[in-house]
Amino acid sequence: MGETAGRRDATIERQTKETAIRVHVDLDGTGRGTIATGIGFFDHMLDQLARHSLIDMAIEAKGDLHIDDHHTVEDTGIALGQAVRAALGERRGIRRYASLDLAMDECLTRAAIDVSGRPFLVFKAEFSRHKIGGFDTELVREFFQAFAQNAGLTLHIQNLYGDNAHHVAETCFKAVARVLGQAIEIDPRQAELVPSTKGILA
């Protein structure tokens, strides 16, 4: 299900032998998140993504958590990316680009985005430990890879410094949320135009 006439929202349902996921996004929301993946820390990060992007997100995921969290995190990234891509439609009127340095206590993370239709991820962040609670820190990159690939985003994330693994992960999600929210805003000066000299973003 794609963009609703006059609105920028979409619903994606994805079902495999490993996961069953339903995602709804409203790009012109207020940042409400209704998140249930069965992974506490991941739910917290997705809630930050919704809140700071001002995208309303309803995400329900059921996965093979008895094996590990990998399939659920990656497939949630895929479904969320597909929903954002569908809701963007032709990407007409969007600002397209944004960048930000985001601070949280001792930690500083930079994010830059091009809502280009051309997926690419650069992720440079190191974690002081392999787990935050029961959550594998390597899954932060896996989520953003799946999300950027399926949303059609060029996304650069770099943690400049920070000691606390929770803070490093959280600043990654918050920084991406902020630049995503800014880049998909409608610019009233070009509300009917695709922001590309090519006339298309795909």
Side-chain angles (χ1 to χ4, degrees), residues 18-93:
E18 298 166 340
T19 61
I21 298 172
R22 186 181 190 277
V23 172
H24 177 79
V25 299
D26 182 348
L27 303 187
D28 301 306
T30 58
R32 291 177 298 174
T34 305
I35 316 292
T37 68
I39 306 168
F41 181 76
F42 188 42
D43 287 357
H44 178 46
M45 294 299 100
L46 292 173
D47 192 52
Q48 299 290 348
L49 189 63
R51 178 67 185 88
H52 291 282
S53 67
L54 299 181
I55 299 173
D56 289 348
M57 298 181 186
I59 302 172
E60 184 178 0
K62 297 179 180 178
D64 52 2
L65 300 183
H66 61 287
I67 296 175
D68 67 9
D69 297 345
H70 188 282
H71 296 146
T72 301
V73 172
E74 183 177 37
D75 287 8
T76 298
I78 291 170
L80 182 59
Q82 290 174 347
V84 169
R85 187 169 201 147
L88 282 168
E90 294 181 302
R91 306 178 188 226
R92 193 173 297 277

Side-chain angles (χ1 to χ4, degrees), residues 67-144:
I67 296 175
D68 67 9
D69 297 345
H70 188 282
H71 296 146
T72 301
V73 172
E74 183 177 37
D75 287 8
T76 298
I78 291 170
L80 182 59
Q82 290 174 347
V84 169
R85 187 169 201 147
L88 282 168
E90 294 181 302
R91 306 178 188 226
R92 193 173 297 277
I94 64 171
R95 297 188 186 277
R96 180 176 169 178
Y97 298 101
S99 62
L100 175 78
D101 288 351
L102 189 136
M104 181 177 181
D105 298 341
E106 88 297 346
C107 187
L108 184 69
T109 296
R110 173 173 296 156
I113 196 169
D114 176 7
V115 185
S116 60
R118 299 188 306 274
F120 199 92
L121 175 70
V122 175
F123 184 85
K124 296 184 178 181
E126 295 183 2
F127 294 91
S128 58
R129 50 196 168 107
H130 296 299
K131 286 187 178 289
I132 303 170
F135 184 82
D136 291 330
T137 52
E138 67 179 9
L139 294 180
V140 175
R141 185 192 187 285
E142 293 303 315
F143 168 77
F144 285 118

Side-chain angles (χ1 to χ4, degrees), residues 8 88 90-96 183-195 201:
R8 296 193 302 165
L88 282 168
E90 294 181 302
R91 306 178 188 226
R92 193 173 297 277
I94 64 171
R95 297 188 186 277
R96 180 176 169 178
I184 66 172
E185 280 183 344
I186 300 298
D187 183 344
R189 294 172 298 173
Q190 60 169 9
E192 300 304 320
L193 301 176
V194 175
L201 289 175

Side-chain angles (χ1 to χ4, degrees), residues 48 52-53 99-112 158-162 167-179 182:
Q48 299 290 348
H52 291 282
S53 67
S99 62
L100 175 78
D101 288 351
L102 189 136
M104 181 177 181
D105 298 341
E106 88 297 346
C107 187
L108 184 69
T109 296
R110 173 173 296 156
Q158 182 180 15
N159 173 243
L160 301 177
Y161 46 82
H167 292 170
V168 172
E170 189 163 340
T171 54
C172 288
F173 276 85
K174 285 181 174 178
V176 169
R178 287 285 175 168
V179 296
Q182 291 170 24

